[in-house]
Amino acid sequence: MEKMFGHPWKRSSIAIFTACATASLVLGAAPVSAATSHRGGNDLQGVIVRAVPGAQRHVRSRIAEVGGRVDRSLSIIDGFAAHVPRSSVGSLRQDQAILSVSPDAGMHPMTFQSSLGYDTADTGSLSSISTMVGAQSQWAAGYTGTGIGVALIDTGVTRVPGLSTTGKVIDGPDISFDSQSSSLAHLDSFGHGTHMAGIIAGRDATATASATGCTACLNSSGYSDQSKFVGIAPDAKIINVKVGATDGATDVSQVIAAIDWVVQHKDDAGLNIKVLNLSFGTNATQAYGVDPLALAAEVAWNNGIVVVAAGGNDGLAVPSLSDPAYSPRIIAVGADDPIGTATRTDDTIPDFATHGTAQRGVDVIAPGTHVMSLRVPGSYVDNYYPGGVVGTRFQLASGTSQSTAVVSGIVALLRQRFPLANPEQIKALL
């Protein structure tokens, strides 16, 4: 069984890193969340304000009139991230030009103290997972994610071996609280984004593709060589859009701004963004139809990007999927536990995985326990969860985050194989 630590309002599907640290170490040593420290005084509240289309200028003026300030324009939802006096929220909601005023909630990775150790049957290795989900069969048929850009909105990506080949990782904007530091910008000082990037599209420099259409090559050298680290879509590109700071902290508005950038730049030369990976979430406090984060994810979907989001790590304690996975438009991912075998008939759903409700459950499950992907030496995760370190290069982790990255890799393969398919058709294939 696993024990959860952290603030109950900070719900995230980011990761469950295998740890041997005590509760006092995990809680007492954590730095102050940037998502908390950046906010205004007690009389100001961080909010996301959506305007009626065409009324953005009026809404900006209204925010100023009540003594608030606009922090960032969020054009993807016709809105703004702002700080306003708490006493003014009600009056803003009464304005006919304002569709909604929602809290700009902080988002932060939950951590676990876990008894889960290394899977001696090796079912958490990418070699095993890529076999279980059928990726290696796609590689043998010539589909490795070539030309497909996967936008990773996360804690950044550090170009460790496996992600260091030229063109593998392309930096988008850094919207995190680390962005003003030249030593931290774009890089993954937390250790989560790099783990996701490795699962999606990692590839050791010496790994080379097997011959196209060669079924017999599955167990020979090349991408199926078990001595090399190879992700699910080894020839896909990672578009690194950093939102999480050194302690993993971010706000909903930062994620919305990141999605906005992805939509605006999806067709830029060299990017070709066809997949968006969101390996985290927050508590759903309102219907998905009016929620700004869910709306932004749906806009990306409507613009031809397959959005893959983590279903949540609250198990049965919280029935609903996390936001934005609870939007029925996008792909919500749950976790599968192979329990030490490559045979699917004995698999189970791990206790941490959120199931969803009868009205909205996860769309697909994928391996999400003991997953071994790339490590960032000296990162937050590396320092606080040393029990998850394997050798010098790898970190073990469990969660719907990892499952989401597996599915994003599969989607990249499908988008190469069926270039004319739209997101709805890709979802139906899954």
Side-chain angles (χ1 to χ4, degrees):
M1 294 296 291
E2 297 170 334
K3 185 173 182 180
M4 183 185 302
F5 300 107
H7 302 293
W9 59 270
K10 289 179 178 176
R11 180 184 185 204
S12 176
S13 308
I14 278 195
I16 308 169
F17 287 94
T18 302
C20 60
T22 64
S24 59
L25 173 61
V26 173
L27 294 177
V32 176
S33 166
T36 301
S37 64
H38 88 289
R39 299 184 182 280
N42 292 332
D43 61 327
L44 293 180
Q45 178 179 357
V47 293
I48 298 171
V49 184
R50 288 182 57 213
V52 172
Q56 288 91 334
R57 180 176 295 182
H58 167 78
V59 172
R60 183 185 284 271
S61 297
R62 283 288 291 133
I63 292 171
E65 286 173 8
V66 300
R69 68 174 189 270
V70 170
D71 299 321
R72 175 183 281 123
S73 176
L74 301 171
S75 60
I76 193 171
I77 58 168
D78 294 319
F80 304 96
H83 278 81
V84 300
R86 296 178 188 277
S87 59
S88 70
V89 171
S91 64
L92 287 174
R93 285 177 173 153
Q94 297 299 315
D95 193 309
Q96 295 299 307
I98 294 177
L99 290 174
S100 65
V101 181
S102 307
D104 188 7
M107 301 173 68
H108 193 284
M110 289 269 190
T111 56
F112 285 71
Q113 183 183 35
S114 171
S115 60
L116 294 176
Y118 178 63
D119 173 15
T120 55
D122 197 39
T123 54
S125 71
L126 265 296
S127 177
S128 294
I129 291 174
S130 61
T131 301
M132 286 188 279
V133 300
Q136 293 204 22
S137 297
Q138 296 299 308
W139 303 344
Y143 304 109
T144 58
T146 300
I148 303 298
V150 180
L152 178 63
I153 296 178
D154 216 287
T155 60
V157 179
T158 296
R159 290 163 173 79
V160 296
L163 293 169
S164 58
T165 55
T166 302
K168 169 58 68 178
V169 179
I170 301 172
D171 286 336
D174 184 337
I175 310 175
S176 75
F177 303 115
D178 289 344
S179 60
Q180 301 306 307
S181 170
S182 59
S183 63
L184 297 175
H186 305 290
L187 301 178
D188 184 14
S189 50
F190 182 76
H192 181 263
T194 304
H195 203 264
M196 299 303 104
I199 296 169
I200 296 167
R203 175 171 63 84
D204 278 352
T206 55
T208 57
S210 299
T212 301
C214 177
T215 303
C217 292
L218 284 175
N219 296 314
S220 66
S221 62
Y223 287 162
S224 301
D225 183 349
Q226 294 186 8
S227 69
K228 313 297 182 190
F229 179 81
V230 180
I232 301 298
D235 286 328
K237 296 171 289 188
I238 295 294
I239 315 304
N240 172 29
V241 185
K242 181 177 175 179
V243 295
T246 298
D247 61 352
T250 189
D251 282 346
V252 170
S253 62
Q254 290 170 285
V255 177
I256 294 173
I259 298 173
D260 196 349
W261 184 90
V262 168
V263 172
Q264 291 185 38
H265 295 272
K266 65 185 181 69
D267 296 322
D268 284 6
L271 298 189
N272 194 34
I273 298 173
K274 298 295 185 181
V275 189
L276 171 56
N277 188 93
L278 292 168
S279 281
F280 51 85
T282 187
N283 275 331
T285 59
Q286 54 196 338
Y288 72 85
V290 296
D291 181 81
L293 179 56
L295 175 63
E298 291 177 5
V299 171
W301 184 274
N302 293 338
N303 276 271
I305 301 170
V306 178
V307 181
V308 187
N313 287 347
D314 287 322
L316 298 178
V318 177
S320 65
L321 298 181
S322 62
D323 179 6
Y326 75 139
S327 165
R329 291 296 308 283
I330 66 177
I331 296 173
V333 182
D336 169 83
D337 185 354
I339 62 169
T341 73
T343 303
R344 289 187 294 180
T345 54
D346 61 357
D347 289 12
T348 62
I349 303 300
D351 290 342
F352 64 77
T354 301
H355 295 216
T357 64
Q359 292 73 36
R360 174 55 172 156
V362 295
D363 297 300
V364 64
I365 61 174
T369 57
H370 318 283
V371 178
M372 187 167 65
S373 186
L374 299 174
R375 165 194 175 215
V376 181
S379 66
Y380 181 96
V381 168
D382 198 53
N383 289 332
Y384 287 102
Y385 304 104
V389 174
V390 178
T392 60
R393 296 184 59 195
F394 303 110
Q395 182 86 32
L396 286 173
S398 298
T400 54
S401 275
Q402 282 67 32
S403 303
T404 300
V406 170
V407 174
S408 287
I410 295 170
V411 172
L413 301 179
L414 292 175
R415 299 229 70 172
Q416 181 193 2
R417 182 171 182 176
F418 304 104
L420 299 181
N422 61 36
E424 286 78 15
Q425 292 167 323
I426 295 294
K427 185 174 183 178
L429 284 171
L430 287 176

